[in-house]
Each structure stands twice: as structure tokens, then as C-alpha cells.
Amino acid sequence: MGDDDSIAQLGFGMSRAGLSATLKSLADDLEKIGQCADAPSPAVAINSWALGWRSVPCLLGRPIGHPSVGDGRACLSSELFYLDPGRGIARTMSRWYRLGTRVDPDHWSDRHPDLTMPWRTP
């Protein structure tokens, strides 16, 4: 596979260059959060959130302001890399989230069978 080949079969759906840029952005964000006292003010919020697990940790919730998920529509985030409920923020593979109200993970399994991926809480 060349550098421009898609790695969609790995679940990222982007080129190697795109994945590299995304991971660099994630690494930069994680480095910055440790160097400043002020938390970022993410544009995307997630309400009724819970910590869930696919084969990797993720957020389950109802995003607001997400570029491709309608406001309030239940979804699973991309892989979760940073979670700070005290600051009210989380960083997934693709973006920062402002954390809204936390719910018990059973909220999702009881009310949203459309999110029936094998997930568990730690």
C-alpha cells in the first residue's frame, strides 16, 4: 500500500496522511492540555453522556453542534483518548467535546437498542 492508499478497512476511513494529521492534532491537544490551566472551550457539546466501550473506549451521547450528527441524535463517538469530567471536557480521535449531563450507561441500553454494539463500562 502506498501513502495515498485508503485504510478504510481499519475503520478510520481516511488516507495514511489524513490519519497521521489526525493523530498529530490529537497529540498536540493532549500536550497543550497539560501545559495550561484553562480548559479548551469546544464547539461541540455532548449531553446525556456515559463512558462506554466498543473495542476501544468511546462516548455515548447526544451531540450538539457536531458537523455530521444531527443535534440531539444518539451516537457513539470515535475512540476516546482524554476524559476530564472535572473540567467538563473530553478528546476523541476526531474532536474535543464539552461534557453536559452525565447519565448511567444503562440509560442507553434501556432506551436505545439502535446503539446495540457490544459495549461495557470499565
Side-chain angles (χ1 to χ4, degrees):
M1 291 175 87
D3 284 341
D4 294 329
D5 290 305
S6 172
I7 57 168
Q9 69 273 12
L10 296 179
F12 295 107
M14 63 180 77
S15 67
R16 287 183 191 197
L19 177 59
S20 177
T22 298
L23 291 172
K24 285 177 184 175
S25 175
L26 171 64
D28 289 346
D29 284 348
L30 293 176
E31 187 175 305
K32 288 177 199 170
I33 195 71
Q35 296 173 349
C36 66
D38 296 331
S41 182
V44 178
I46 187 164
N47 285 325
S48 303
W49 69 273
L51 181 60
W53 293 84
R54 301 184 289 184
S55 56
V56 295
C58 64
L59 292 173
L60 299 98
R62 298 179 182 280
I64 299 168
H66 193 284
S68 61
V69 178
D71 285 354
R73 185 167 182 249
C75 74
L76 294 168
S77 74
S78 57
E79 184 173 0
L80 179 65
F81 283 89
Y82 181 82
L83 177 65
D84 190 338
R87 288 184 171 185
I89 55 173
R91 179 59 159 89
T92 66
M93 172 68 87
S94 55
R95 69 188 26 80
W96 282 102
Y97 284 93
R98 239 182 9 248
L99 300 174
T101 305
R102 186 174 187 166
V103 298
D104 187 273
D106 290 339
H107 168 86
W108 292 106
S109 60
D110 294 345
R111 292 175 179 81
H112 296 281
D114 55 320
L115 295 178
T116 55
M117 295 185 80
W119 60 274
R120 61 179 170 75
T121 56

